[in-house]
Amino acid sequence: MSIRHTWPVIIVRTAIIIPVFVIGCLAIVLTQLVGLFIFKNNPSSKQAVINETKTHFVILLAGLTSIINPCKFAITIDTNSVPHGSSFNVDSSNHIHTLLQPNSVIISNHQIYTDWLFLWFLTYTSHLSNAVYIILKDLSKIPILGYGMKNYNFLFLSRKWEHDKVVLTNQLLEIDANARGHGPANGYRLLSSTDKEVKKWPQGVDNSKIWPYELILFPEGTVPSDRTTKKSAEYIASKGLPPLKHVLLPRIRGLYLALQKLRNTVEVVYDVTTAYSGLKEDEYGELVFSLKKFYLKGHGPPVVNYFIKGYKLKDIPLGKEELDSTVEASDEDLQKFEDWLLKIWYEKDQLMDNFYKTGKWGIKDDTQTKLIVGDFKLKNHFEFLKPFIVLLTVLLLSYTFLSLGYTLTFGRK
């Protein structure tokens, strides 16, 4: 047993990590509140502050996670399809450097509940962590964290499609408008619309101030488990499809809606196949690397393995363009999109099967790939202080004013 997994180390580490995380979250929310107050009449500056706190959060969580569970990233890039894929590299200090395109959608199979953190860290290696939006179940009611995530404009799902499609449409159209420079981040106002449910933003592009995005979503909607795997298998069988071994059948509506509403600005869709070293092919990642085992006991994957492939929007069947309506797509359009996504998911299942059996993805010989292996760590130790800068400044100013007041009050006596 590693010394990291002994109970004395676990107790001391937890006693330090939890307060630091809580104080860090408070510091990030304080930064948001200060920015929203100071720049209440300056939409661009408000957006810049909120975006910066996105980077603060991934720095805080990734920094603490790398202490609890130091691990490596092994990223295999399909250089034929991923823009600038051949330029991905690792420096002499084992820091990962990638060149993800702005205005992109990242899709991945779901294995454990920290998948989103690792993908957010991937955008951090491309200097795009401040542009991340995540589609996930509703976490808005979590104290402190929920408020911060709402300020991030993360896309929360209630799992009721009639409600979710309206909420998602409005948030996606806002993200798209900001990416064109014609959204609320630049002070643009909504246009009048006959549709009371859906918000409408000015069309066109203003390149003087655009706000890129990196949208992360998991089409499966949840992680594999006995219950979800059985449910997925039953549905697959009812549709007469071949069984899936390592992934769940993806849901199509959320991704379809996202690509439709962002089709004016999307540059590329990154398909990330995720497999964790330390897992056997018949094990569920969320049991082996549960949040409790991961953050309390320090049992995390030794290597995060990614295979990344890129898809141009023109190669994805999206049907008719409907940017300001929640009208459902036709069955024919949805079927074409489902066929496209299922093809990707069955390929993903085969890649994972190859990986768990051989330790390699088993890529076809005619596919040009590049492998980089680096550490899951921040760019430097000083970055970890970024989330706390405003809090430390407020405390320092408060101390200075209190000291000055004390001196003026009692110094005269």
Side-chain angles (χ1 to χ4, degrees), residues 108-119:
S108 174
N109 57 301
H110 210 353
Q111 292 282 286
I112 61 179
Y113 287 123
T114 48
D115 286 333
W116 60 270
L117 167 62
F118 291 132
L119 288 176

Side-chain angles (χ1 to χ4, degrees), residues 220-238:
E220 292 162 304
T222 187
V223 297
S225 65
D226 281 336
R227 182 184 65 82
T228 58
T229 299
K230 180 181 178 182
K231 186 175 180 181
S232 176
E234 289 173 349
Y235 187 69
I236 289 171
S238 72

